[in-house]
Amino acid sequence: MGTRAPMEWLRHAACVDEDPELFFPVGTSGPALRDVAAAKRVCARCPVSAPCLTLALETVPTSGVWGGTCEDERDALLRAGRGSAPGNGGSAVDLS
């Protein structure tokens, strides 16, 4: 799924009715860690977390929780060159 194609899957995202600030916490401790955990719980029940993570890895957003991952987790996936999307059975995320 390329980033130029219409992203119809976004309409099915579990986060669509959530407060966007939950996915973009400020800081790296205390309340920010609670927000990251809460955002990841939303992602865990999301039927489109895999394409969300793929989008995040292809476009490299620098902040926020995307596809069930935080910045550090996405950085690690990008350094590895390939990664597994949370909740998709460990299938490789196609970065091509």
Side-chain angles (χ1 to χ4, degrees), residues 11-63:
R11 294 187 305 154
H12 303 286
C15 63
V16 75
D17 292 323
E18 299 287 337
D19 182 353
E21 289 186 22
L22 180 66
F23 296 87
F24 299 94
V26 177
T28 57
S29 63
L33 292 178
R34 286 190 292 277
D35 285 350
V36 167
K40 286 182 175 185
R41 285 192 298 275
V42 172
C43 294
R45 64 178 168 79
C46 183
V48 295
S49 63
C52 181
L53 176 57
T54 298
L55 175 67
L57 293 171
E58 288 176 350
T59 60
V60 193
T62 58
S63 64

Side-chain angles (χ1 to χ4, degrees), residues 1-7 9 55 58:
M1 174 178 310
T3 57
R4 293 183 185 158
M7 295 184 294
W9 58 267
L55 175 67
E58 288 176 350

Side-chain angles (χ1 to χ4, degrees), residues 53 56-57 61 63-64 66 69-78:
L53 176 57
L57 293 171
S63 64
W66 293 81
T69 62
C70 66
E71 297 95 354
D72 291 341
E73 292 163 329
R74 287 192 306 279
D75 287 344
L77 289 172
L78 288 169

